[in-house]
């Protein structure tokens, strides 16, 4: 008799894409003034007041050195219930010379605590990266009474190549938690010297409810794949989200389920081709 055949090894389920890219996330627990007071202090004439406020939101150390304590070029304050109750959590975002900084603030017994900070190194000369494009607050895909913070970091090269990373954040047990992160846009361009003779390969990704699993914390990561011709890639309109969506020709879907132990969405199956209407459900 031949020896028994070993069962095939199960292949690990790999997500389509993970990682925060250039986004830097710090989870902390630090008492701070109320968000409205911090907003005023960040614009104060007194250097020491601004320095204390910059420290409170978790700004990089380079902005706390004597003689270089800037006034933020722009500020944005958002309120939304991102935790597991109806409290209004706050996100205070400041645009500095070389960084955008978002502080996640939660109320606790009449006081406020900073539970996380997200930092994106980007020059203020980049007109495409502002507090409003870096952060948006959106209703949770699965819990309609809750919201999530979506952070977006976009980088590009003169040749037309570029990538955009997104991180979805919730407040869980009074902690700021990145529950999902992925490359939301990837553009790879041929300058015309290779065999592709110009044009760009395009991938857009977004999250939407998994309609095949109506019960439970299930969601779907969708990748739309397409290509831009050399003429299209050269057009200024080619970077518009609506234009890119019309050029998607195939879709890949991967289901995710929320893992209570890791407090993160984990892939539950391999990615596979799927048929979807060309609709960007991210609400941009």
């Amino acid at each position: 008799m031949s020896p028994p055949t070993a069962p095939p090894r199960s292949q690990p389920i790999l997500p389509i894409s993970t990682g925060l890219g250039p986004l830097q996330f710090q989870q902390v627990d630090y008492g701070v003034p109320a968000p409205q007071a911090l907003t005023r202090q960040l614009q104060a004439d007194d250097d020491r007041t601004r320095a204390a406020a910059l420290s409170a939101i978790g700004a990089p150390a380079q902005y706390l050195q004597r003689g270089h304590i800037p006034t933020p070029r722009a500020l944005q304050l958002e309120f939304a219930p991102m935790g597991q109750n109806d409290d209004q959590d706050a996100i205070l975002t400041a645009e500095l010379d070389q960084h955008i900084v978002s502080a996640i603030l939660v109320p606790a017994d009449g006081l406020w605590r900073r539970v996380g900070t997200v930092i994106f190194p980007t020059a203020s000369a980049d007109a495409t990266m502002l507090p409003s494009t870096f952060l948006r607050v959106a209703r949770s895909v699965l819990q309609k009474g809750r919201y999530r913070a979506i952070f977006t970091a976009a980088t590009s090269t003169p040749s037309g190549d570029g990538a955009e990373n997104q991180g979805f954040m919730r407040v869980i047990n009074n902690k700021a938690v990145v529950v999902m992160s992925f490359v939301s846009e990837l553009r790879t361009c041929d300058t015309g010297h290779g065999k592709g003779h110009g044009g760009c390969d395009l991938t857009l990704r977004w999250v939407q409810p998994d309609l095949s699993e109506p019960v439970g914390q299930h969601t779907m990561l969708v990748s739309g794949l397409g290509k831009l011709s050399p003429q299209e890639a050269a057009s200024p309109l080619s970077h518009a989200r609506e234009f890119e969506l019309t050029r998607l020709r195939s879709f890949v879907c991967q289901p995710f389920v929320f893992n209570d132990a890791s407090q993160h969405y984990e892939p539950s199956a391999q990615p596979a081709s799927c048929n979807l209407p060309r609709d960007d459900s991210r609400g941009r």
Side-chain angles (χ1 to χ4, degrees):
M1 295 179 61
S2 60
T5 303
R9 291 184 179 181
S10 59
Q11 295 295 320
I13 298 173
L14 300 177
I16 291 174
S17 180
T18 59
L20 285 169
L23 289 169
Q24 302 168 8
F25 171 57
Q26 304 166 358
Q27 190 180 71
V28 298
D29 186 10
Y30 185 76
V32 296
Q36 298 90 335
L38 271 177
T39 302
R40 292 192 298 269
Q41 292 166 10
L42 286 167
Q43 301 172 88
D45 293 333
D46 180 61
D47 282 359
R48 289 178 297 178
T49 301
R50 289 202 313 278
L54 287 168
S55 177
I57 68 172
Q62 71 188 69
Y63 299 104
L64 308 179
Q65 298 172 4
R66 186 174 181 179
H68 185 63
I69 303 174
T71 300
R73 295 172 180 267
L75 291 170
Q76 175 178 291
L77 180 58
E78 296 273 0
F79 288 92
M82 295 187 298
Q84 295 154 301
N85 52 41
D86 293 330
D87 288 340
Q88 294 284 313
D89 305 301
I91 306 179
L92 178 54
T93 302
E95 180 189 348
L96 305 175
D97 294 341
Q98 299 293 327
H99 298 82
I100 294 181
V101 180
S102 282
I104 297 87
L105 313 172
V106 301
D109 300 325
L111 302 175
W112 286 86
R113 305 195 68 80
R114 174 167 62 94
V115 296
T117 296
V118 180
I119 299 174
F120 177 40
T122 181
S124 59
D126 184 357
T128 64
M129 288 308 303
L130 305 170
S132 58
T133 56
F134 175 62
L135 164 70
R136 65 187 178 94
V137 177
R139 191 180 296 274
S140 172
V141 173
L142 301 171
Q143 295 176 285
K144 300 306 181 184
R146 300 288 174 263
Y147 287 76
R148 65 190 190 276
I150 302 177
F151 295 93
T152 303
T155 58
S156 60
T157 66
S159 66
D161 291 358
E164 178 186 274
N165 284 75
Q166 282 193 358
F168 287 14
M169 179 174 290
R170 289 279 314 279
V171 174
I172 301 175
N173 298 326
N174 287 328
K175 294 181 179 179
V177 178
V178 177
V179 296
M180 187 176 234
S181 56
F182 55 94
V183 177
S184 54
E185 180 174 345
L186 187 64
R187 179 190 288 241
T188 305
C189 298
D190 186 337
T191 58
H193 301 295
K195 61 182 180 181
H197 302 295
C200 299
D201 292 320
L202 183 66
T203 302
L204 298 182
R205 293 192 177 100
W206 62 89
V207 170
Q208 65 185 44
D210 185 353
L211 299 179
S212 66
E213 297 284 352
V215 179
Q217 296 188 348
H218 296 264
T219 190
M220 186 80 71
L221 181 63
V222 181
S223 296
L225 310 176
K227 189 172 181 63
L228 303 177
S229 70
Q231 294 77 16
E232 291 170 336
S235 170
L237 296 176
S238 70
H239 288 275
R241 185 72 52 168
E242 293 78 8
F243 184 91
E244 293 175 330
L245 286 168
T246 63
R247 296 305 186 268
L248 301 182
R249 293 294 179 263
S250 62
F251 297 88
V252 175
C253 296
Q254 184 172 32
F256 280 69
V257 64
F258 189 76
N259 185 314
D260 290 319
S262 66
Q263 297 185 337
H264 194 266
Y265 280 96
E266 305 289 351
S268 56
Q270 298 288 3
S273 297
C274 54
N275 295 316
L276 291 175
R278 292 175 189 146
D279 175 33
D280 183 1
S281 63
R282 289 173 297 178
R284 282 181 175 269

